[in-house]
Amino acid sequence: MSEAEHPGQPGRPEEEADRAAIRRVIEAWGFRRDAGEWDALSETFHLEGTIAVSWYAGPFAGFVEACRAIRGRNFSKHVMCGSRLVLRGRRALAETDVLLHMRGLVDGVEMIGQTNMRFLDRVERRGEGPWRLLDRVAVYDHDTIAPAIPGTAAPIAAEELAGLAPGHRFLAWRLRRAGRTVPDDLPAPGSAREAALRQEGDTWLEAAP
C-alpha cells in the first residue's frame, strides 16, 4: 500500500477533500476513545464494523461497550500520528502510526508503558454520508514498561514474558495481569499475519464498485 507517487504534489480537489475527511475521522477516534465520548466514538465506524486490538476482537459496538465498562481503571492515551492512504472511489485503506501511553497499578506498583503500533483500516463512504471505518486491525511494533517511580522494582517474572513477541510482550503481560485475554499471535511487523492483512485489504480495495 502506498500513497501517490509524489506525496508533495496536491491531488485533485475532491481527492484531497476525501483524504482530509478520512484523516479527521481517524483522529476523532483517538480523542473520543480516550475522552469516553461513547456515542460520538460509535459514529466513527459503520454499524457492522469490526476491530481487533490486543485485548478485544469483534464487533465495534462490543468494543465501545467494553471500553465503557473499564473506563477509569487505568490511564491510557492514544496519540494518533501520521496516516497514509490509498483511495479507490468510495473505499480507502489507511495505515496510521499510533503511540499508546499507559499508567496503572500492577501488584501495588505504579507502572508506565508505551506501545508503538499501527492501525490498518478499511474505510468506506456510503451514499452521501461521511467516511467511516469498516474494519481495523492493530499491528504491534514495539513496547516498553517501567516503574513510574525510579528505583522501584518491577513485579515482572521472566517466565511470564516467555513466548511473547517483542512488539507487544509488556502490553500483553500487563493486560493479562489485569485479567484480560490477549492472544499470543498478535500481528507483528513483517509477519505472515501482517502480509495477509495487507493482501486482504488490497483485494477489498480492488473490488470497489
Side-chain angles (χ1 to χ4, degrees):
M1 184 178 74
S2 62
E3 286 196 276
E5 184 177 353
H6 301 291
Q9 184 70 27
R12 293 176 290 107
E14 58 270 28
E15 180 180 298
E16 291 302 307
D18 284 336
R19 290 182 181 278
I22 293 168
R23 289 187 168 110
R24 282 198 301 270
V25 76
I26 290 172
E27 292 173 357
W29 184 95
F31 284 113
R32 294 172 180 180
R33 160 66 179 83
D34 296 335
E37 298 171 354
W38 309 122
D39 291 342
L41 178 63
S42 296
E43 293 177 355
T44 62
F45 266 71
H46 288 292
L47 289 176
E48 76 277 24
T50 60
I51 187 171
V53 293
S54 58
W55 59 278
Y56 179 91
F60 186 68
F63 172 83
V64 173
E65 291 308 309
C67 290
R68 186 199 299 266
I70 63 175
R71 179 163 172 77
R73 294 184 187 178
N74 292 295
F75 168 83
S76 66
K77 176 65 178 177
H78 296 78
V79 180
M80 313 299 286
C81 304
S83 299
R84 62 174 181 166
L85 311 172
V86 179
L87 280 73
R88 186 181 180 93
R90 292 178 174 268
R91 288 185 177 184
L93 298 178
E95 179 176 3
T96 303
D97 284 324
V98 182
L99 301 179
L100 172 59
H101 298 282
M102 300 164 289
R103 184 181 67 245
L105 292 174
V106 180
D107 292 348
V109 178
E110 186 179 12
M111 304 291 289
I112 55 175
Q114 176 178 296
T115 300
N116 295 31
M117 57 187 180
R118 286 168 288 131
F119 284 156
L120 302 184
D121 296 334
R122 301 183 198 182
V123 198
E124 190 170 43
R125 186 182 184 194
R126 298 174 180 174
E128 297 303 313
W131 286 94
R132 289 184 175 178
L133 299 161
L134 179 63
D135 177 72
R136 165 170 288 174
V137 180
V139 177
Y140 294 87
D141 293 326
H142 175 70
D143 77 337
T144 60
I145 197 168
I149 301 175
T152 304
I156 303 176
E159 57 269 21
E160 294 179 341
L161 302 176
L164 295 174
H168 67 266
R169 58 186 168 191
F170 298 119
L171 172 66
W173 170 82
R174 186 183 66 83
L175 291 173
R176 288 174 176 176
R177 293 296 293 270
R180 295 192 230 173
T181 300
V182 180
D184 290 327
D185 60 346
L186 294 175
S191 65
R193 178 61 179 139
E194 181 181 5
L197 288 169
R198 292 185 180 281
Q199 182 58 57
E200 291 165 9
D202 289 343
T203 300
W204 175 81
L205 192 66
E206 287 298 320

PDB file of all heavy atoms in Angstrom, residues 138-150:
ATOM      1  N   ALA A 138      -4.866  -3.869  14.654  1.00  0.00           N
ATOM      2  CA  ALA A 138      -3.645  -3.259  15.171  1.00  0.00           C
ATOM      3  C   ALA A 138      -2.451  -4.181  14.940  1.00  0.00           C
ATOM      4  O   ALA A 138      -2.525  -5.389  15.179  1.00  0.00           O
ATOM      5  CB  ALA A 138      -3.785  -2.964  16.654  1.00  0.00           C
ATOM      6  N   VAL A 139      -1.344  -3.602  14.461  1.00  0.00           N
ATOM      7  CA  VAL A 139      -0.073  -4.304  14.303  1.00  0.00           C
ATOM      8  C   VAL A 139       0.889  -3.713  15.339  1.00  0.00           C
ATOM      9  O   VAL A 139       1.044  -2.491  15.416  1.00  0.00           O
ATOM     10  CB  VAL A 139       0.500  -4.131  12.887  1.00  0.00           C
ATOM     11  CG1 VAL A 139       1.860  -4.821  12.766  1.00  0.00           C
ATOM     12  CG2 VAL A 139      -0.472  -4.683  11.849  1.00  0.00           C
ATOM     13  N   TYR A 140       1.542  -4.581  16.124  1.00  0.00           N
ATOM     14  CA  TYR A 140       2.334  -4.123  17.268  1.00  0.00           C
ATOM     15  C   TYR A 140       3.822  -4.143  16.933  1.00  0.00           C
ATOM     16  O   TYR A 140       4.416  -5.197  16.720  1.00  0.00           O
ATOM     17  CB  TYR A 140       2.024  -4.998  18.484  1.00  0.00           C
ATOM     18  CG  TYR A 140       0.596  -4.794  18.932  1.00  0.00           C
ATOM     19  CD1 TYR A 140      -0.437  -5.542  18.377  1.00  0.00           C
ATOM     20  CD2 TYR A 140       0.274  -3.801  19.837  1.00  0.00           C
ATOM     21  CE1 TYR A 140      -1.757  -5.319  18.741  1.00  0.00           C
ATOM     22  CE2 TYR A 140      -1.039  -3.567  20.215  1.00  0.00           C
ATOM     23  CZ  TYR A 140      -2.047  -4.328  19.663  1.00  0.00           C
ATOM     24  OH  TYR A 140      -3.352  -4.093  20.017  1.00  0.00           O
ATOM     25  N   ASP A 141       4.431  -2.944  16.929  1.00  0.00           N
ATOM     26  CA  ASP A 141       5.826  -2.791  16.519  1.00  0.00           C
ATOM     27  C   ASP A 141       6.820  -2.880  17.679  1.00  0.00           C
ATOM     28  O   ASP A 141       7.865  -3.511  17.565  1.00  0.00           O
ATOM     29  CB  ASP A 141       6.016  -1.435  15.818  1.00  0.00           C
ATOM     30  CG  ASP A 141       5.276  -1.369  14.495  1.00  0.00           C
ATOM     31  OD1 ASP A 141       5.180  -2.414  13.814  1.00  0.00           O
ATOM     32  OD2 ASP A 141       4.787  -0.285  14.140  1.00  0.00           O
ATOM     33  N   HIS A 142       6.501  -2.218  18.792  1.00  0.00           N
ATOM     34  CA  HIS A 142       7.483  -2.126  19.885  1.00  0.00           C
ATOM     35  C   HIS A 142       6.779  -1.643  21.139  1.00  0.00           C
ATOM     36  O   HIS A 142       5.851  -0.835  21.066  1.00  0.00           O
ATOM     37  CB  HIS A 142       8.592  -1.134  19.506  1.00  0.00           C
ATOM     38  CG  HIS A 142       9.581  -0.869  20.597  1.00  0.00           C
ATOM     39  ND1 HIS A 142      10.493  -1.804  21.020  1.00  0.00           N
ATOM     40  CD2 HIS A 142       9.781   0.234  21.372  1.00  0.00           C
ATOM     41  CE1 HIS A 142      11.234  -1.295  21.994  1.00  0.00           C
ATOM     42  NE2 HIS A 142      10.820  -0.062  22.218  1.00  0.00           N
ATOM     43  N   ASP A 143       7.203  -2.152  22.317  1.00  0.00           N
ATOM     44  CA  ASP A 143       6.638  -1.597  23.545  1.00  0.00           C
ATOM     45  C   ASP A 143       7.646  -1.633  24.680  1.00  0.00           C
ATOM     46  O   ASP A 143       8.653  -2.354  24.634  1.00  0.00           O
ATOM     47  CB  ASP A 143       5.327  -2.291  23.927  1.00  0.00           C
ATOM     48  CG  ASP A 143       5.512  -3.661  24.552  1.00  0.00           C
ATOM     49  OD1 ASP A 143       6.564  -4.313  24.327  1.00  0.00           O
ATOM     50  OD2 ASP A 143       4.590  -4.090  25.269  1.00  0.00           O
ATOM     51  N   THR A 144       7.387  -0.804  25.678  1.00  0.00           N
ATOM     52  CA  THR A 144       8.248  -0.704  26.850  1.00  0.00           C
ATOM     53  C   THR A 144       7.373  -0.586  28.094  1.00  0.00           C
ATOM     54  O   THR A 144       6.195  -0.224  28.020  1.00  0.00           O
ATOM     55  CB  THR A 144       9.156   0.549  26.782  1.00  0.00           C
ATOM     56  OG1 THR A 144       8.324   1.727  26.725  1.00  0.00           O
ATOM     57  CG2 THR A 144      10.066   0.513  25.565  1.00  0.00           C
ATOM     58  N   ILE A 145       7.962  -0.900  29.245  1.00  0.00           N
ATOM     59  CA  ILE A 145       7.268  -0.720  30.513  1.00  0.00           C
ATOM     60  C   ILE A 145       8.318  -0.499  31.593  1.00  0.00           C
ATOM     61  O   ILE A 145       9.443  -1.013  31.489  1.00  0.00           O
ATOM     62  CB  ILE A 145       6.374  -1.939  30.857  1.00  0.00           C
ATOM     63  CG1 ILE A 145       5.347  -1.573  31.927  1.00  0.00           C
ATOM     64  CG2 ILE A 145       7.206  -3.139  31.277  1.00  0.00           C
ATOM     65  CD1 ILE A 145       4.255  -2.619  32.101  1.00  0.00           C
ATOM     66  N   ALA A 146       7.955   0.274  32.606  1.00  0.00           N
ATOM     67  CA  ALA A 146       8.894   0.572  33.683  1.00  0.00           C
ATOM     68  C   ALA A 146       8.116   1.086  34.887  1.00  0.00           C
ATOM     69  O   ALA A 146       6.994   1.587  34.741  1.00  0.00           O
ATOM     70  CB  ALA A 146       9.910   1.635  33.233  1.00  0.00           C
ATOM     71  N   PRO A 147       8.692   0.990  36.088  1.00  0.00           N
ATOM     72  CA  PRO A 147       8.042   1.579  37.253  1.00  0.00           C
ATOM     73  C   PRO A 147       7.944   3.094  37.090  1.00  0.00           C
ATOM     74  O   PRO A 147       8.865   3.734  36.577  1.00  0.00           O
ATOM     75  CB  PRO A 147       8.967   1.205  38.413  1.00  0.00           C
ATOM     76  CG  PRO A 147       9.751   0.033  37.918  1.00  0.00           C
ATOM     77  CD  PRO A 147       9.924   0.260  36.448  1.00  0.00           C
ATOM     78  N   ALA A 148       6.830   3.673  37.519  1.00  0.00           N
ATOM     79  CA  ALA A 148       6.659   5.119  37.412  1.00  0.00           C
ATOM     80  C   ALA A 148       7.641   5.857  38.316  1.00  0.00           C
ATOM     81  O   ALA A 148       8.078   6.958  37.986  1.00  0.00           O
ATOM     82  CB  ALA A 148       5.224   5.494  37.761  1.00  0.00           C
ATOM     83  N   ILE A 149       7.989   5.265  39.455  1.00  0.00           N
ATOM     84  CA  ILE A 149       8.922   5.878  40.386  1.00  0.00           C
ATOM     85  C   ILE A 149      10.287   5.205  40.219  1.00  0.00           C
ATOM     86  O   ILE A 149      10.429   3.997  40.453  1.00  0.00           O
ATOM     87  CB  ILE A 149       8.441   5.725  41.835  1.00  0.00           C
ATOM     88  CG1 ILE A 149       7.060   6.393  41.992  1.00  0.00           C
ATOM     89  CG2 ILE A 149       9.449   6.342  42.802  1.00  0.00           C
ATOM     90  CD1 ILE A 149       6.445   6.194  43.348  1.00  0.00           C
ATOM     91  N   PRO A 150      11.303   5.941  39.777  1.00  0.00           N
ATOM     92  CA  PRO A 150      12.630   5.344  39.571  1.00  0.00           C
ATOM     93  C   PRO A 150      13.133   4.647  40.829  1.00  0.00           C
ATOM     94  O   PRO A 150      12.944   5.119  41.950  1.00  0.00           O
ATOM     95  CB  PRO A 150      13.504   6.565  39.225  1.00  0.00           C
ATOM     96  CG  PRO A 150      12.545   7.566  38.665  1.00  0.00           C
ATOM     97  CD  PRO A 150      11.274   7.380  39.439  1.00  0.00           C
TER      98      PRO A 150
END
